[in-house]
Amino acid sequence: MPFWPSHVGSIVKRVTAVVAIATFAVAAQAGPREQAKRMHDRIAGVPPSDTVLGAMATEIAAGRTQAAALMAMNHPAFYAVTLKNLVTPWTNRDQTVFAPLNDYTATVIGIVRDDVPFNEVLSGDILYVGNAGGLPAVSATSNNHYEQLETQGIDLRTGLQRTTQSGVYGTPPAATAGVMTTRAAAQSFFVAGTNRAMFRFTLLNHMCRDLEEVQDTSRPPDLIRQDVSRSPGGDARLFLNGCVGCHSGMDPMTQAFAYYTFDDTQGRMLYTGGSVQPKYFNNDTTFAFGFRTPDDQWENRWRRGQNALLGWDSALPGTGAGAKSLGQEFGASDAFASCQVEKVFRTVCLRSPVDATDRGQIGSMTSTFRASGYRLKQVFADAATYCMGD
């Protein structure tokens, strides 16, 4: 009996090896048309027309793979499916793709389409809206405009136009912070709570780090708010060895959001410049000697310690007032740039980086991304070229 499982295992190993060799051989022998089809499928999620396939194959045969990738990006599905599915999970706490189009997603799609520098996604006074007739008016209190834009199947290549949040929503220009101050983001991350959710999900979605990955107990705790117990369960060690790791870095930066909230009754984001939202004083008797937020001045204490490895820009001061300047701080970091590249790599290559070659490619693509003026379409083209033979 022991012979049978061993024999089966041997057969399985041989079959697996043969399949792997055959797959590699097919990929290696793929001609320009096969490569063009694979590239189009990865970028747009649908097969190309014969005309587009032929044109892409011609470009690939001539060594112009970037031009071929841009042809694939001209398909409506690149915007309505690939980009929407990439961005939608960033817009909600459940991180689900099964959510309707909203102003956050539409704005990112527009930024990509128009080659707007992607590092403005967390700081710009930018909003993309539909320009087709028959749509409900854009509203600070409703998502109907964007839901109808999607329901009517309007081509987002031509159906979006750039405007400003200050002009449409009435948010002061200095208080706009890219997608962080869109209605969708505010509804998900400024509602109730203490506004720490906006910090955590921005870090997760745009720096590819969750709080557990950036804990640093070496940072001073003097700006941790009053609602954090210094001796949870009666044990101060839990605070010193656990809570302080996140809060000592997070609380000084979430001060940037002190004037923002989402009003469920009105269904809109509110900005109360000069007046700290009452939520910042929730549970202020938990530790009365803790920090009491006076304004929206923030400080990045992660510029020192282990999180200096996130690559903060030395040209910026590391301090500021309000969400816009915090968004600029994040958007100028190495972690921000590499995060966008890693996400596109997974989207196009259908896998995460697995070895030194892949990691080297991520580094190269990140450098090119920055050199191109943070054009995300450049990243899609680079990823599609690299994974064309997968």
Side-chain angles (χ1 to χ4, degrees):
M1 292 301 293
F3 171 76
W4 178 244
S6 175
H7 178 61
V8 171
S10 177
I11 292 174
V12 170
K13 288 180 181 178
R14 288 199 297 270
V15 170
T16 302
V18 170
V19 170
I21 292 171
T23 301
F24 176 80
V26 169
Q29 295 173 4
R33 286 183 68 85
E34 290 80 8
Q35 291 175 328
K37 184 179 185 305
R38 187 179 298 118
M39 178 182 283
H40 196 282
D41 289 349
R42 297 284 184 87
I43 290 175
V46 295
S49 67
D50 287 341
T51 302
V52 171
L53 180 61
M56 287 178 64
T58 298
E59 296 294 341
I60 289 172
R64 295 188 291 267
T65 55
Q66 299 272 318
L70 290 172
M71 288 182 183
M73 281 179 245
N74 195 44
H75 195 285
F78 172 66
Y79 298 98
V81 179
T82 302
L83 286 180
K84 181 179 184 291
N85 288 346
L86 173 66
V87 177
T88 300
W90 310 347
T91 72
N92 60 83
R93 291 185 186 228
D94 293 332
Q95 298 183 290
T96 179
V97 70
F98 300 109
L101 186 70
N102 55 50
D103 57 347
Y104 186 138
T105 303
T107 296
V108 174
I109 291 172
I111 286 172
V112 175
R113 185 198 67 183
D114 292 348
D115 287 326
V116 177
F118 202 77
N119 60 339
E120 296 181 22
V121 76
L122 297 178
S123 58
D125 184 5
I126 304 172
L127 183 70
Y128 276 81
V129 302
N131 59 12
L135 291 172
V138 185
S139 172
T141 61
S142 168
N143 193 48
N144 288 344
H145 174 84
Y146 294 96
E147 291 182 20
Q148 284 300 309
L149 187 63
E150 183 174 29
T151 299
Q152 294 180 27
I154 294 171
D155 188 345
L156 301 182
R157 294 175 305 173
T158 57
L160 289 175
Q161 67 181 29
R162 180 176 177 173
T163 182
T164 62
Q165 295 176 33
S166 57
V168 175
Y169 293 156
T171 309
T176 59
V179 294
M180 290 194 290
T181 48
T182 57
R183 182 181 183 276
Q187 185 175 32
S188 291
F189 311 129
F190 278 149
V191 65
T194 59
N195 282 357
R196 291 185 178 105
M198 180 62 79
F199 180 84
R200 186 233 168 172
F201 281 94
T202 300
L203 187 72
L204 185 63
N205 294 326
H206 296 283
M207 304 279 279
C208 293
R209 305 288 196 285
D210 208 345
L211 290 172
E212 291 81 3
E213 300 171 81
V214 291
Q215 289 189 74
D216 182 1
T217 56
S218 72
R219 299 299 87 207
D222 57 302
L223 296 184
I224 297 179
R225 288 190 231 164
Q226 296 169 306
D227 62 336
V228 179
S229 173
R230 270 48 171 190
S231 55
D235 189 347
R237 291 173 299 179
L238 295 177
F239 171 76
L240 293 173
N241 297 320
C243 308
V244 73
C246 291
H247 286 281
S248 61
M250 173 171 57
D251 282 15
M253 284 193 267
T254 55
Q255 201 169 325
F257 307 130
Y259 302 153
Y260 299 88
T261 194
F262 186 84
D263 189 311
D264 263 333
T265 303
Q266 298 183 48
R268 65 172 298 163
M269 186 187 81
L270 299 180
Y271 175 77
T272 53
S275 178
V276 176
Q277 288 291 327
K279 66 174 70 177
Y280 274 69
F281 310 119
N282 287 351
N283 303 312
D284 58 355
T285 60
T286 299
F287 186 73
F289 299 105
F291 184 71
R292 191 170 181 85
T293 304
D295 51 36
D296 67 347
Q297 298 286 326
W298 60 268
E299 177 185 350
N300 182 3
R301 293 188 168 181
W302 286 345
R303 281 179 165 254
R304 293 190 176 130
Q306 65 188 46
N307 291 317
L309 294 174
L310 296 176
W312 308 103
D313 189 345
S314 61
L316 296 176
T319 60
K324 183 183 286 291
S325 57
L326 182 63
Q328 291 168 341
E329 174 85 345
F330 276 19
S333 69
D334 294 343
F336 173 86
S338 63
C339 179
Q340 316 316 312
V341 171
E342 289 168 12
K343 288 184 293 188
V344 171
F345 185 98
R346 288 194 296 270
T347 297
V348 175
C349 299
L350 306 180
R351 61 180 176 82
S352 297
V354 296
D355 55 25
T357 302
D358 285 350
R359 288 188 289 274
Q361 178 66 17
I362 292 291
S364 175
M365 288 167 58
T366 300
S367 297
T368 302
F369 177 42
R370 284 178 139 165
S372 73
Y374 291 90
R375 293 176 57 245
L376 204 66
K377 280 192 288 191
Q378 178 69 50
V379 182
F380 272 94
D382 288 343
T385 297
Y386 179 73
C387 297
M388 191 166 55
D390 282 3

